[in-house]
Amino acid sequence: MNQDTQSCEAGGDRPGLNYSALAPLATDGVVLNRAMLQDPSLTSKPVLCASGIRPVEAVILYDALLPNADSKLMEALHEIDPEESSFTNTFRAARYALAEVGLCASDLVWRRAIREYTANKNDDDDPIFEIANKIRDLVKNWVFAMPNLNLSSRGFNVTPKFVQLIHVLKSCGAYGDKFRGIVLVQRSEVATIMVDIMRTMIDELAFVRPYALTSELFVTDGHKQGEFLDNFTSGKYNLLILIKTLEDLDFPRANVFIRYNLFESQLSYAFACTHTMVPDGHLIHMVEKGNDLHRRILQEYSGPAVDDRWIEVVLQGGNSPVPSCPLKETGNPYRSDEETASRLEISIGDSVNGGRLFEDDALLAVFRIAANLQRSITTLSLCPLFVVHPILIPSMGGVQQFVCTVTLPPGLPLQMIRGPPRFTPVHARRSGAYRFCLRLFELSGLDYRLIYTPGRSDDNAYANPSLLKSDLVSGNSCYMRKRPDFWVNSLRTSEECLFPVVISVGNPEGPSEPYAPIVILTRQPLPHLEPFKLFFYGVFATVKNARGPAVIFDGQRLNDLHSYTLRICRTIANKAFVCSLEKMAYFIAPLLPSQAKDFSCSNITNLQDAIDWEAVARANSNYVTRFSSDTLRDPSEFEDAVIQDRLVEFTRRCYVVRLRPDLSPMSKPSDSPREAEYANILEYCRARRKGFQGLQDNSQPLIEVSKAVAVLNRLNPVHKPLIETNKTGPKYLIPELCGKCTIPASIYRTALLLPSITRRIDDFLIVKELNAQFFANMVLEQHLLSAVFAPSATFETDYERLELLGDSFLKYFSSVYVFVFNPALSEGALHKTRQHIISNKVLTQCGLSIGLPSYIQGKTFSYKLWQPPNFTVQDISLQHLGRSNDLTSSSGNSGMAIDTKIQAPVNDTNASTIHSTSQSKTKHKASDDNITQWLGDKTIADVAEAIIGAAYLSGGRDVALRVIKALRLPVADVEQWEDFRRKALAPPSNVTARLRGGTLSAVEEIIGASFKYPHLLSQALTHGSIHGYDNTCYERLEFLGDAVLDFLVVRHVFNRDDHMSPGAMTLLKSAMVSNSALAAVCVRTGLHAYLLYESYALGNSIQSYAEQLETRRQEEHQKAVRDGRPPGQYWLDMEPPKILSDVVESIIGALYISDGFTSDGVEFMFKKILEPFYDQHVTVKTLSHHPTKILFEIMQTQGCQQFSIEKEKLGETLGTRCDVIVHDIILASATESTGYIAGRMASTAALDALEGDPSFMAHNCSCRNRTQMGKKDYKNRLEKMLADLEEGQNVTTEEDHNGSMEVDQQLVK
C-alpha cells in the first residue's frame, strides 16, 4: 500500500514517546533490551529525551491477556465456598492478581493469606468458620507451581505483561550495583505478590532485591520512613514495587521507573518524571498492543501533553508558584470500592454522589483548585503552593516535626491555611492540603466535583430496577422517578452544623407585593446552583441563591428551626406535615428586614445574628393570632400581613391591601359582590357565619383584602391563570372575626414558591448525579438539564433541540465508524450496519442498561403532591385543630404547638409516600403519580440523543464520543476521534479512475479547500457507470459525506437560530439536505461539469436539468426583486438526476477522509458554497411560496391545536382583515383588498414574528400534553382555511401557479 495515498495515518502519532521495542533505553552505550515484542505500525517514532527536566521515555508493548479461567486452586475453593462468604477479600485479591500477574500469582495470594490466618477455636459452631477451616486445610496442602515465563510452554502461568516486566528488569542488570528501580502498580495486593514471585526467580533476577511499598506508615512515621530511605539508598532494596497512593513520597532518584499500570493523571506522570531525575533516568510505560484506551491515556496524560512547569512544581514538592497552564485530572484515587468503604479515618463527604475525600486525596484536589484559579486571574500569583517548615515540639522533648502552609491564588473565600504538625514533610503536605479542603468545605466553597465518584460498575448489570410495569398496548412503561441522593447522604451527619443558602426572588408582581429572601439551611453544603426562572402569568422572576459558611446552632436553636420549618410547610401546603428533627433534611429561616435588603451571604458575618428569631418564635408559638381591641385601628398592625377569616390551621388566606377607616361592619361596599344581597357586612355575617354572636365593636374599620393564591407550579412557562369559580371571595373582612397569620406576607409569598424552588434544586442535584455517575462531569450541566426534560414535563426547556443535534451527531459518528471498520461493505450494507448503532431500539436498550429512565423528567411538576424529604402527613383526626378559643391575642405568648410525636413511619426519600389513616385508593394513586412516571421507548431514545447533543456542545466531538461510549452504544475499538485516522483504509490510487486535466485545481477552487490525496477526489467524481470501477465509485464516499453534511447543516441551523423551535429546525434541515437542493448547489457551482461517467442518457439528463434550473433561477430572482422579497426555492418542482446531489456529498466525504477524518476542509467548503446558498434561499420565510402552509407545518410539528386564521370584511372599500391567532393571542394581522392576499400577508408576518421570538410557542402553547391532532385532521383544517381565505374564488395568479408546492391549485376549492 502506497504510504502517500493509501494510508490515512498521515501525521503519525503523538511525537515524543517511543513505541519501538528496539529503541535504546539507557545511555553510555548500554542497551536495556533489544528483544522486545514490537508493533510494526509504531516502529518509526523517535525516543523522547529532554535533558534536565524529563527522563528518556519508552513504551513497552505487551500482548493482550486472553480471557483466563480460574486456576485449579480457585475452582476447588469455589466448590467449598461458592458464595465467597469466607475470605471475601482474599477471593477479590486473587482475581486482581490473576488479571495483572497471572495464574501463579492468583494461587500465591492464597498461600500468603493462609499464613496470616489464625483460627478462632471458639467459633467451631459457626458455618463460616467451618468453611474457613476447610479452605485453610486445602491451601496448606496445595502444591504451588513456580512462575513459568515460557510463552510456548503448556505450564505458562503468568501474564504477557508480567513477562515483559521481567525482560525489562533483566536488562537492567547492566547497571550493576548502581541499579535503583521503581515499579508503579495500582493495588497493594499486586505489589505484594509481585515481590513474592520475584524473590523466587533467583536465576533471572539475582541482582534484584525487591520491596513492596504499600503501607501508609511510610508517610506518617518519620523513623520508619527514614529507615526505608536509608535501605533504598544503600542498596539493601534496589527495586520498589510502589502503589499509586504513595507516589508522592520523597524517594532517592531511580535509574528506571516502570509504570506497570497507566493512570489518567498528569500529576502521576509528573511524579514519575521527578523520581527518575538522574542523567541516565528512564521512564517506561507498559502498554497493551492495540489498546486504544492506553493510547489515549498516553496522549492526554503524559509526554508533551504535560507542561514542564508542572514537573518542576512537583520536583520542588509544591514549594513554587502554580503555573497558569492546564492540569488535566480525573480525580480518580484508583481505590476499589471495598478499600474506600473499609477506611475508618475522617474524610470529607460529598452528599451529591456519596463520594469521600481522604487525606491522601487532598493533595491532588488542591493542585486542581490552584491550577483552575491561576488560569482564571489576570495577575498571576507568585506565592508557593506548599511551604513545609520544620518545628520543634518542646512538650515531646524537642522532637522535630513539620508543618505546611498552603497558599492558593485569589478567588476563593479561603486563600491560606497552616496545617497541623506532622513527623514527615510528605505527611505535613497532605495534612495541610486536607485542612485546606476541609475549611473550604465548611465555607461552602469546595467543588463537589473534586471528590471522585466511582462510575457504575458493569458488574451491576442493570436489568433496569426502575422499571415497574409495561403496557403492551401503548408501548409505554412505568418507571420509578429518581430522587436526589443528596438528602439521604446529608442525613448521615449528626452534627449541629448547617450550611445556609439565601434564596432571593425579587418582586415579580411589583413593589406593592414584595417577596422577602429566606434562608434554606442544609446539613451538608449544596453545590453551586445556577439562577433559574419562575413564571408568573406572562412575566418571570429569576431566583438567585448565595451560599454561606457553615453555622453551628445549639440544641434550642435547632428545635426552633425545626418547628419553624414545619410551620412554613404546613401553612403553604395546608397539610398536617410532621417530621422529626433527626430526619429533617433542610430547615427554613427568615432574615431580619435589615439583612433581607442584601441577600449575599458574603456580607453576613454571623448568620445566626441575621436570622429573625423573633419572627421564628412568633410562628412557633401560634399559627394565627387575633387582633386586640387596641390594635383594630392601628394601620401598622396590618402591614405585610396575611389574615384568615376561619380560625383553623388549614384554611384559605388573604393578603391585606389596606385598612379602611371609612368603612365599618355597618357599611355595604358597592365593590363587594359577596354581600350584595344583604343590608351590610354585619348582616351577611349573621346570616352566613355559623355560631356568630355579634361584634363587640360595630364601628371598627374594615380590612380590604386580596386573595392569597395557593401553591402553584411556577416552573411551567405556559401556566395559565386559575379559572375563577362562581363562588365570590371576600373583599372586605371584619378584624374582630379574623386571625392574623404569624408568617408575614412577604415571607408567605416566598414560601409559596418553595415547592417550585425545591423541585428545581432537586432537578439540579439529579443532573449533577447523572453527570458524575456516567459522564465524569464532562457535560455542561445547563445542557444536560435540558437533555433530560421531555416536552411533556412543560418546563422552560426540553430536549427537542438537543435531540435534533444529538441525532445528527450520532448519525455522523456512526457513519464514520462503520465506514472505517467495514472497508469492504457497499453503501447499502453500511446503512444496515449503521442501524445497529443508531436505531431507537438500540438507544432504548442502552438507556435501560444504565438506568437512564429514572433520571428523565417526563411529567409536569405535581405541586399539589409536593412533600419535603422524610415528611409525612399526620392523621387530621389526631390533631388538635385549635378553634377560636385556642387562640390568643397578638400580645399573648401561649398557643398551639405542632405535635411531632404522632406521625407515620419515615421512609427513604427515594420512595417516600403520603400516609394518612384513610389509605384511600385516590391518595395511593396520587402518591404513585408523584414517584413514578410512564415513558415511551422513543422518549428514552430521544433523551439519549439529546445527551449526546449536550456533550457535543460541552466539549466537541471527543467529549461526545466518550458520552456515546458511556451510554454503552455498541462501538468498540475507538477511544478518541484520532483512532479513525489510524485505522482507516482507503483504496490505492492505481485502482481509481484518472481525473481529467485541470479537474483537481478547478474543484479545489470551487470548494475552497485542497485535497491531500487527489485520488480520493477521483473516486468522489466517479459514477458507477464507468466499467471496471464498481468498487471505487463514489457510493461509499457519498454515504460518509451525507452524514457529515447532515451534521454540519443541523449545527448551522442550531447556531444560526438560537431559539428556533425544533419543528422549524427540522423543516429547514430537510430542505437544506434534500436531493433537489444539493443538485441546485452542484449546478450553481459548476461541480457537475467534472463528473466522470459513461452514460449518454445520464449526460443528456444532466445537461437538460442544468439548463431548466438556470432558467428557473433567473425567473425566481426577477420575481423576488419585483416583490421585494428574498429569492425562494426555485428548484422544488424539478426532479434532478440523483448523481448531482450524490456528488456534493461524495466530495464532502472524500475531503473529510483526505484531511485525516477531520472537518477542517469540509468546514471551508461549507462556508464558501453551502452556507451562502442556504442563507439566501432556505430560510423560514422562503421554505414555501405559500406562507400559510409553512405556518401550518410549524404548528403541526409543535403539536399546537389552538391556532387559526380569522377573516373579517371591513367594508366594500376597506378590504379584508386577517388575524393569525394562537391560544387567543393575535400573533400577526394584515389588511388587504381580498381575504386571500390578506391571509398570505398575515401568515408571512406570523413567520416573521416566530423568527423574531422563537420562544413564543414554548411560552404560550401546552397542547403537546394533550391528545395531538392527526396529520389528516391538519390537512383538512388547512384545506378549509385556504378555501375560506380564497372567498370562493378559484383565482390563481401566475406567481402562485409557479409556486414550488402548488398548494393554491391543489387545496383551494
Side-chain angles (χ1 to χ4, degrees):
M1 196 166 62
N2 184 292
Q3 185 177 2
D4 292 333
T5 57
Q6 294 109 32
S7 173
C8 294
E9 185 100 16
D13 293 290
R14 172 180 56 82
L17 286 181
N18 172 34
Y19 285 86
S20 172
L22 300 178
L25 302 183
T27 56
D28 300 328
V30 179
V31 177
L32 292 181
N33 189 6
R34 291 183 179 275
M36 296 292 183
L37 295 174
Q38 53 186 300
D39 185 342
S41 67
L42 302 173
T43 57
S44 61
K45 309 301 181 290
V47 74
L48 172 65
C49 185
S51 60
I53 195 65
R54 296 180 192 254
V56 175
E57 292 183 55
V59 171
I60 300 300
L61 299 170
Y62 60 87
D63 288 324
L65 177 67
L66 296 176
N68 258 341
D70 287 339
S71 66
K72 292 182 179 179
L73 174 59
M74 284 286 280
E75 292 175 355
L77 291 169
H78 274 128
E79 290 181 2
I80 297 174
D81 187 6
E83 302 297 327
E84 299 184 3
S85 57
S86 178
F87 290 99
T88 302
N89 291 335
T90 308
F91 273 107
R92 189 178 299 114
R95 283 194 291 272
Y96 292 149
L98 175 66
E100 292 290 337
V101 185
L103 291 169
C104 172
S106 177
D107 290 351
L108 293 179
V109 165
W110 282 102
R111 185 173 71 175
R112 169 177 281 274
I114 294 304
R115 286 176 181 173
E116 299 171 355
Y117 172 72
T118 302
N120 188 341
K121 299 299 183 183
N122 295 325
D123 290 340
D124 288 343
D125 295 332
D126 187 351
I128 295 181
F129 176 79
E130 182 180 352
I131 293 174
N133 280 338
K134 289 182 180 180
I135 290 177
R136 180 194 59 182
D137 295 339
L138 174 65
V139 175
K140 275 187 174 181
N141 297 315
W142 194 264
V143 178
F144 292 90
M146 290 297 99
N148 183 343
L149 276 66
N150 186 354
L151 289 168
S152 60
S153 169
R154 292 184 61 184
F156 177 69
N157 59 5
V158 295
T159 61
K161 181 180 182 180
F162 186 72
V163 171
Q164 293 292 71
L165 173 66
I166 298 302
H167 286 336
V168 173
L169 292 177
K170 287 169 64 176
S171 67
C172 293
Y175 284 105
D177 292 338
K178 295 181 180 180
F179 169 70
R180 299 292 184 275
I182 300 174
V183 179
L184 181 66
V185 299
Q186 179 175 342
R187 301 187 183 277
S188 58
E189 303 95 329
V190 173
T192 302
I193 210 63
M194 273 187 177
V195 170
D196 288 349
I197 292 178
M198 289 179 184
R199 286 175 177 170
T200 67
M201 302 175 66
I202 301 176
D203 296 336
E204 294 90 346
L205 302 175
F207 70 97
V208 173
R209 296 176 290 280
Y211 186 85
L213 199 61
T214 60
S215 173
E216 289 289 329
L217 287 176
F218 293 107
V219 175
T220 59
D221 190 327
H223 175 73
K224 192 170 184 66
Q225 185 184 109
E227 181 183 2
F228 155 72
L229 294 178
D230 291 341
N231 289 336
F232 188 63
T233 302
S234 65
K236 180 178 180 179
Y237 307 121
N238 63 1
L239 178 65
L240 303 179
I241 312 298
L242 174 72
I243 60 173
K244 170 84 169 55
T245 56
L246 299 179
E247 63 183 348
D248 60 326
L249 285 174
D250 297 324
F251 298 111
R253 303 290 181 258
N255 309 108
V256 177
F257 190 104
I258 303 172
R259 302 181 76 197
Y260 193 77
N261 294 114
L262 299 179
F263 304 101
E264 293 181 280
S265 168
Q266 291 186 348
L267 272 183
S268 178
Y269 170 81
F271 279 120
C273 290
T274 60
H275 292 322
T276 50
M277 203 66 67
V278 292
D280 58 347
H282 297 84
L283 175 57
I284 298 174
H285 310 272
M286 300 200 68
V287 175
E288 183 182 286
K289 287 184 180 179
N291 190 310
D292 295 315
L293 175 60
H294 286 184
R295 178 183 290 272
R296 180 179 66 78
I297 292 175
L298 283 181
Q299 290 184 333
E300 296 182 8
Y301 297 95
S302 60
V306 183
D307 195 283
D308 286 349
R309 288 171 289 178
W310 279 113
I311 301 176
E312 292 174 356
V313 169
V314 172
L315 181 63
Q316 298 177 35
N319 191 9
S320 63
V322 175
S324 59
C325 51
L327 178 67
K328 190 168 187 177
E329 295 288 330
T330 62
N332 190 345
Y334 290 95
R335 282 190 301 266
S336 66
D337 294 341
E338 298 79 19
E339 289 175 312
T340 300
S342 64
R343 297 186 68 165
L344 302 178
E345 67 262 38
I346 296 175
S347 62
I348 301 172
D350 163 34
S351 292
V352 176
N353 292 294
R356 297 167 67 191
L357 185 119
F358 295 95
E359 188 178 72
D360 51 342
D361 305 326
L363 198 69
L364 173 59
V366 170
F367 270 117
R368 295 173 68 188
I369 296 171
N372 291 333
L373 288 175
Q374 193 75 299
R375 295 181 64 200
S376 64
I377 58 179
T378 54
T379 303
L380 299 183
S381 173
L382 300 180
C383 297
L385 183 59
F386 299 110
V387 178
V388 178
H389 307 275
I391 59 172
L392 297 178
I393 309 298
S395 61
M396 301 180 64
V399 174
Q400 177 176 273
Q401 289 191 314
F402 301 88
V403 295
C404 178
T405 300
V406 183
T407 307
L408 270 78
L412 290 174
L414 177 68
Q415 189 171 354
M416 184 177 70
I417 203 168
R418 184 182 175 94
R422 294 292 184 252
F423 287 105
T424 67
V426 175
H427 196 198
R429 277 195 297 271
R430 288 187 176 188
S431 298
Y434 181 80
R435 177 169 286 186
F436 184 92
C437 291
L438 180 60
R439 182 57 186 147
L440 197 60
F441 174 81
E442 293 170 348
L443 295 172
S444 299
L446 184 67
D447 192 332
Y448 76 98
R449 291 171 295 185
L450 293 168
I451 304 177
Y452 182 74
T453 303
R456 302 279 187 177
S457 172
D458 288 339
D459 297 335
N460 303 332
Y462 285 98
N464 195 25
S466 65
L467 176 62
L468 300 179
K469 53 187 175 181
S470 298
D471 185 342
L472 298 179
V473 177
S474 67
N476 296 339
S477 299
C478 185
Y479 300 92
M480 290 288 295
R481 295 179 64 185
K482 184 78 172 67
R483 297 293 184 89
D485 292 340
F486 179 88
W487 306 117
V488 178
N489 295 333
S490 64
L491 288 175
R492 294 172 182 169
T493 175
S494 59
E495 298 176 354
E496 298 175 343
C497 180
L498 300 178
F499 296 83
V501 179
V502 179
I503 302 294
S504 173
V505 184
N507 296 323
E509 297 177 300
S512 62
E513 299 181 8
Y515 286 72
I518 59 173
V519 183
I520 297 178
L521 296 142
T522 59
R523 296 176 181 266
Q524 292 286 289
L526 277 169
H528 171 72
L529 303 174
E530 292 291 336
F532 55 91
K533 295 177 181 178
L534 299 181
F535 298 92
F536 296 81
Y537 309 139
V539 299
F540 66 85
T542 300
V543 179
K544 300 178 181 179
N545 65 88
R547 298 180 296 167
V551 183
I552 297 177
F553 295 91
D554 59 28
Q556 181 58 49
R557 289 302 195 199
L558 275 177
N559 285 324
D560 291 343
L561 291 172
H562 168 251
S563 298
Y564 185 80
T565 303
L566 283 174
R567 176 71 69 215
I568 288 286
C569 294
R570 291 165 70 100
T571 301
I572 64 173
N574 272 332
K575 293 180 181 179
F577 282 142
V578 290
C579 180
S580 65
L581 174 63
E582 295 75 18
K583 292 292 184 180
M584 189 166 282
Y586 56 78
F587 303 85
I588 300 166
L591 287 175
L592 288 168
S594 59
Q595 298 287 354
K597 295 177 181 178
D598 183 4
F599 68 90
S600 174
C601 280
S602 60
N603 296 329
I604 300 177
T605 55
N606 188 345
L607 186 74
Q608 289 207 54
D609 297 338
I611 292 177
D612 191 345
W613 293 109
E614 292 184 6
V616 171
R618 283 195 302 271
N620 290 346
S621 62
N622 303 289
Y623 54 77
V624 66
T625 60
R626 300 191 70 170
F627 295 101
S628 67
S629 58
D630 298 334
T631 61
L632 287 179
R633 290 171 173 80
D634 183 3
S636 63
E637 184 71 14
F638 299 92
E639 292 179 358
D640 197 24
V642 177
I643 64 172
Q644 52 192 67
D645 60 350
R646 296 178 66 240
L647 303 180
V648 293
E649 183 177 8
F650 306 121
T651 184
R652 66 185 180 189
R653 297 176 181 88
C654 300
Y655 296 122
V656 174
V657 177
R658 54 179 170 164
L659 187 65
R660 293 294 297 269
D662 57 322
L663 299 176
S664 72
M666 306 303 294
S667 303
K668 182 179 180 180
S670 59
D671 57 348
S672 181
R674 189 178 69 156
E675 298 87 9
E677 298 178 3
Y678 300 89
N680 51 49
I681 293 182
L682 182 60
E683 292 301 321
Y684 170 84
C685 292
R686 284 198 177 101
R688 302 294 297 272
R689 194 174 180 92
K690 186 176 181 180
F692 180 73
Q693 298 178 356
L695 300 174
Q696 296 180 6
D697 184 359
N698 288 346
S699 64
Q700 60 186 289
L702 297 183
I703 310 171
E704 184 178 346
V705 298
S706 63
K707 181 180 179 181
V709 297
V711 171
L712 295 174
N713 177 10
R714 298 295 186 182
L715 300 173
N716 185 353
V718 296
H719 191 80
K720 302 296 183 183
L722 294 176
I723 300 174
E724 296 292 339
T725 61
N726 294 329
K727 186 176 180 181
T728 305
K731 184 167 184 180
Y732 298 99
L733 295 175
I734 302 173
E736 187 179 326
L737 301 179
C738 296
K740 179 181 177 181
C741 182
T742 52
I743 301 172
S746 56
I747 293 291
Y748 184 78
R749 289 189 188 94
T750 307
L752 287 174
L753 305 179
L754 276 176
S756 296
I757 291 173
T758 54
R759 167 58 191 268
R760 202 56 166 164
I761 291 175
D762 285 354
D763 294 336
F764 285 130
L765 293 173
I766 289 173
V767 164
K768 291 176 188 294
E769 285 182 39
L770 176 65
N771 206 7
Q773 289 285 350
F774 299 109
F775 310 127
N777 294 310
M778 292 183 293
V779 185
L780 294 178
E781 288 173 1
Q782 65 265 32
H783 298 318
L784 190 57
L785 185 68
S786 298
V788 298
F789 270 90
S792 56
T794 64
F795 274 66
E796 180 185 2
T797 59
D798 58 49
Y799 64 60
E800 286 194 306
R801 279 174 54 89
L802 287 173
E803 183 266 331
L804 185 63
L805 181 66
D807 174 77
S808 64
F809 181 87
L810 182 59
K811 176 184 174 183
Y812 163 45
F813 162 78
S814 57
S815 299
V816 176
Y817 181 84
V818 299
F819 182 92
V820 169
F821 289 97
N822 299 276
L825 291 185
S826 64
E827 180 190 14
L830 289 174
H831 276 284
K832 293 181 180 178
T833 306
R834 185 175 65 188
Q835 282 301 111
H836 297 308
I837 301 174
I838 67 173
S839 69
N840 283 344
K841 180 180 180 180
V842 172
L843 288 167
T844 301
Q845 290 173 345
C846 292
L848 292 175
S849 72
I850 66 171
L852 183 61
S854 61
Y855 292 90
I856 297 174
Q857 304 299 317
K859 290 178 59 175
T860 187
F861 172 41
S862 301
Y863 59 91
K864 292 183 179 179
L865 301 179
W866 173 74
Q867 188 168 313
N870 296 327
F871 275 49
T872 53
V873 178
Q874 191 177 18
D875 181 14
I876 297 297
S877 65
L878 298 177
Q879 182 162 319
H880 184 48
L881 296 178
R883 300 289 177 179
S884 59
N885 58 347
D886 299 315
L887 302 175
T888 65
S889 69
S890 58
S891 60
N893 295 323
S894 62
M896 192 200 80
I898 299 173
D899 183 6
T900 60
K901 296 180 181 179
I902 306 175
Q903 55 179 296
V906 175
N907 291 336
D908 183 86
T909 54
N910 276 329
S912 62
T913 56
I914 298 175
H915 295 270
S916 69
T917 310
S918 63
Q919 298 292 325
S920 65
K921 293 182 180 180
T922 303
K923 287 198 173 184
H924 272 303
K925 184 178 186 303
S927 176
D928 290 342
D929 287 345
N930 198 32
I931 63 175
T932 63
Q933 61 183 347
W934 287 86
L935 299 173
D937 288 353
K938 187 173 187 308
T939 298
I940 300 172
D942 287 347
V943 169
E945 291 176 329
I947 291 174
I948 295 171
Y952 178 80
L953 292 180
S954 302
R957 64 185 189 184
D958 279 316
V959 170
L961 168 56
R962 295 191 194 182
V963 166
I964 287 173
K965 293 185 70 67
L967 289 171
R968 300 183 181 176
L969 290 175
V971 286
D973 302 320
V974 58
E975 284 290 329
Q976 54 188 340
W977 212 267
E978 186 186 294
D979 294 339
F980 291 134
R981 176 188 59 80
R982 292 188 303 102
K983 299 184 177 185
L985 297 175
S989 58
N990 57 356
V991 299
T992 56
R994 297 182 63 85
L995 294 172
R996 296 192 295 268
T999 296
L1000 177 62
S1001 58
V1003 172
E1004 289 180 341
E1005 176 65 24
I1006 291 172
I1007 66 176
S1010 301
F1011 283 88
K1012 296 176 182 177
Y1013 305 110
H1015 76 285
L1016 291 174
L1017 175 60
S1018 174
Q1019 183 183 354
L1021 296 174
T1022 301
H1023 187 255
S1025 60
I1026 298 184
H1027 182 69
Y1029 295 102
D1030 298 11
N1031 295 326
T1032 57
C1033 67
Y1034 64 65
E1035 287 186 352
R1036 277 177 54 88
L1037 293 178
E1038 181 260 327
F1039 168 83
L1040 179 61
D1042 169 77
V1044 175
L1045 176 61
D1046 187 90
F1047 174 68
L1048 291 178
V1049 164
V1050 170
R1051 191 184 66 179
H1052 170 66
V1053 174
F1054 192 94
N1055 294 332
R1056 187 179 71 176
D1057 302 286
D1058 292 343
H1059 301 287
M1060 178 178 286
S1061 68
M1065 288 177 61
T1066 301
L1067 291 174
L1068 282 175
K1069 175 243 183 180
S1070 300
M1072 289 177 176
V1073 299
S1074 65
N1075 287 338
S1076 55
L1078 294 180
V1081 171
C1082 181
V1083 172
R1084 182 63 184 152
T1085 57
L1087 287 174
H1088 66 292
Y1090 304 99
L1091 289 169
L1092 300 176
Y1093 54 87
E1094 292 182 353
S1095 170
Y1096 180 77
L1098 179 60
N1100 285 341
S1101 176
I1102 293 173
Q1103 183 178 356
S1104 174
Y1105 174 80
E1107 292 173 353
Q1108 294 180 40
L1109 189 70
E1110 179 60 21
T1111 301
R1112 285 293 183 86
R1113 187 189 69 81
Q1114 293 178 6
E1115 292 175 352
E1116 172 61 21
H1117 276 257
Q1118 291 172 3
K1119 292 175 183 176
V1121 172
R1122 184 177 67 244
D1123 298 341
R1125 59 173 176 82
Q1129 301 174 77
Y1130 56 88
W1131 55 82
L1132 283 179
D1133 58 344
M1134 301 178 62
E1135 186 66 29
K1138 190 172 182 299
I1139 186 176
L1140 296 178
S1141 58
D1142 289 348
V1143 75
V1144 176
E1145 295 172 335
S1146 65
I1147 290 175
I1148 290 174
L1151 189 57
Y1152 186 79
I1153 298 173
S1154 181
D1155 287 337
F1157 287 83
T1158 66
S1159 59
D1160 298 341
V1162 176
E1163 299 272 6
F1164 286 121
M1165 177 179 174
F1166 187 84
K1167 288 186 178 297
K1168 183 172 182 181
I1169 65 174
L1170 290 166
E1171 186 175 319
F1173 183 85
Y1174 292 149
D1175 290 345
Q1176 181 180 20
H1177 294 285
V1178 189
T1179 64
V1180 172
K1181 290 181 287 188
T1182 63
L1183 279 178
S1184 166
H1185 280 291
H1186 204 298
T1188 302
K1189 181 170 183 179
I1190 194 62
L1191 179 62
F1192 263 70
E1193 289 179 357
I1194 291 176
M1195 294 298 175
Q1196 181 183 7
T1197 57
Q1198 185 69 28
C1200 183
Q1201 301 173 24
Q1202 296 186 31
F1203 68 95
S1204 61
I1205 300 179
E1206 296 189 1
K1207 180 179 62 175
E1208 178 185 3
K1209 289 187 177 181
L1210 303 179
E1212 295 295 332
T1213 60
L1214 298 178
T1216 302
R1217 171 192 172 99
C1218 283
D1219 297 326
V1220 177
I1221 300 176
V1222 180
H1223 285 270
D1224 300 325
I1225 299 173
I1226 298 178
L1227 181 61
S1229 299
T1231 302
E1232 292 292 341
S1233 58
T1234 67
Y1236 180 75
I1237 299 176
R1240 289 174 61 94
M1241 297 301 293
S1243 298
T1244 302
L1247 292 174
D1248 286 337
L1250 291 176
E1251 191 171 11
D1253 182 13
S1255 60
F1256 175 84
M1257 295 301 296
H1259 288 170
N1260 294 284
C1261 176
S1262 58
C1263 297
R1264 190 179 295 273
N1265 300 329
R1266 301 188 291 272
T1267 304
Q1268 296 190 21
M1269 189 182 300
K1271 292 183 178 180
K1272 185 175 181 180
D1273 296 327
Y1274 269 100
K1275 183 177 179 181
N1276 292 337
R1277 284 190 62 185
L1278 176 59
E1279 291 178 352
K1280 183 178 184 303
M1281 189 171 297
L1282 289 173
D1284 290 342
L1285 293 177
E1286 184 60 24
E1287 301 177 306
Q1289 301 176 24
N1290 192 7
V1291 178
T1292 304
T1293 65
E1294 181 181 356
E1295 174 188 346
D1296 298 327
H1297 177 75
N1298 292 329
S1300 59
M1301 293 188 177
E1302 299 181 354
V1303 295
D1304 305 329
Q1305 291 280 10
Q1306 298 170 19
L1307 300 180
V1308 176
K1309 297 180 181 178

